[in-house]
Amino acid sequence: MGLRAVVLAGRRNAGRLATVSAEAWEAMIPLADRPMLQWVVDALSGARVVDGIIVVGPADSAGKVTGKGLTLVEASDSMMDNIALGVDEAQRQAGDGPILLTAGDTPLVTAAGYDAFVDTCLAAGGEVFYPVVFRQHIEAAYPGTKRTYLKFREGKVTGGNIFVIHPHVVGPCRDLGARFAEARKSPARQAAIVGWGTLIGLLLGSLTLAELERRVCKLLGVTGKVIVTADADIGIDVDKPADYELADAVLKGRMQSRNR
């Protein structure tokens, strides 16, 4: 039996993407002639590991996006609240099994990409899984694209945009996220949360991925895994005009290839 997928699509189009579209919601910005969110839902609908899709997004997206077992939950203005709304609905539908959590601005991830990531997570065992992609894999697939990277001993990585989580870890993650949000302008307060060693290690790039995994899991009181993937699509989200242009070109190219 597959997982429920929760798609976070409740971000208003009030940032950098407002220059490319007048849509009220980022996830509804058209890419290759369909809403960005529809590309995400299409990939999830084609994924073997997914049994139902829960979109946490704007109420006016109902009927504009379709997919396998699709449920729409109206979004709030808080990302952490939206995660909780989606997870609650997934539990209502399917109990306490693991959940695939993804963002509405990840239109390049394919059905095969979701399948491979979830298979790796379930085989690894644990309660929360987070993917990272090395810089060389991003640049090999999409030369010239700009991402945010963190330096580790193994190299520079960017975080992925999908997770596999068990519902009971949402509470601890939500609490930690709120604490970090409150401390975002104070390195001293951030260090008080994660420890000076972790913070300095992140700043200097002296941590290994395994060390970060161990420290974060201890902080949250959960078992988790950092999943290293070479799938560059997992490391691409659309949150600025250059990302939009890249995704639009890639998706149009994929459509043309299918139509040949």
Side-chain angles (χ1 to χ4, degrees):
M1 184 173 180
L3 284 64
R4 288 298 190 273
V6 173
V7 185
L8 302 177
R11 181 185 294 171
R12 296 184 182 275
N13 186 23
R16 290 176 287 181
L17 290 177
T19 62
V20 301
S21 173
E23 285 285 343
W25 304 90
E26 286 190 0
M28 300 306 293
I29 292 173
L31 274 173
D33 301 323
R34 69 184 70 169
M36 179 161 28
L37 176 59
Q38 186 66 65
W39 288 101
V40 178
V41 170
D42 285 348
L44 291 168
S45 295
R48 164 182 46 79
V49 296
V50 173
D51 265 355
I53 303 166
I54 299 157
V55 170
V56 184
D60 60 8
S61 64
K64 298 178 182 177
V65 175
T66 59
K68 179 171 69 177
L70 182 64
T71 301
L72 175 66
V73 175
E74 187 171 0
S76 74
D77 291 328
S78 162
M79 184 182 71
M80 296 307 297
D81 287 348
N82 288 340
I83 292 172
L85 287 168
V87 169
D88 286 348
E89 177 62 22
Q91 285 185 286
R92 188 190 69 77
Q93 293 183 12
D96 292 329
I99 294 165
L100 174 61
L101 179 66
T102 189
D105 63 354
T106 58
L108 299 186
V109 185
T110 64
Y114 284 119
D115 284 339
F117 177 68
V118 171
D119 285 344
T120 300
C121 295
L122 297 183
E127 298 168 304
V128 58
F129 305 88
Y130 179 62
V132 298
V133 187
F134 280 103
R135 181 173 183 170
Q136 59 264 33
H137 292 132
I138 296 286
E139 293 183 345
Y142 301 114
T145 188
K146 304 296 184 183
R147 313 307 314 160
T148 299
Y149 296 98
L150 280 177
K151 184 179 179 182
F152 291 86
R153 276 194 230 163
E154 296 94 333
K156 292 182 178 180
V157 302
T158 191
N161 297 287
I162 61 179
F163 299 79
V164 170
I165 60 172
H166 285 255
H168 63 269
V169 309
V170 172
C173 291
R174 186 175 184 177
D175 292 343
L176 183 63
R179 290 165 64 196
F180 260 104
E182 291 174 0
R184 65 187 180 278
K185 295 183 180 180
S186 171
R189 292 178 63 192
Q190 292 175 350
I193 297 170
V194 301
W196 279 108
T198 300
L199 185 61
I200 292 171
L202 287 171
L203 292 173
L204 297 179
S206 61
L207 286 180
T208 66
L209 290 167
E211 286 170 339
L212 180 67
E213 175 188 290
R214 184 170 61 252
R215 294 183 190 193
V216 171
C217 288
K218 182 178 180 180
L219 185 65
L220 292 172
V222 301
T223 58
K225 299 287 184 182
V226 173
I227 304 297
V228 177
T229 175
D231 185 349
D233 294 334
I234 288 177
I236 301 291
D237 59 355
V238 177
D239 62 6
K240 57 184 182 291
D243 300 334
Y244 171 85
E245 292 170 7
L246 170 67
D248 191 58
V250 170
L251 293 171
K252 285 178 178 175
R254 290 179 183 177
M255 289 176 67
Q256 291 172 356
S257 295
R258 285 198 294 267
N259 292 334
R260 286 174 186 162

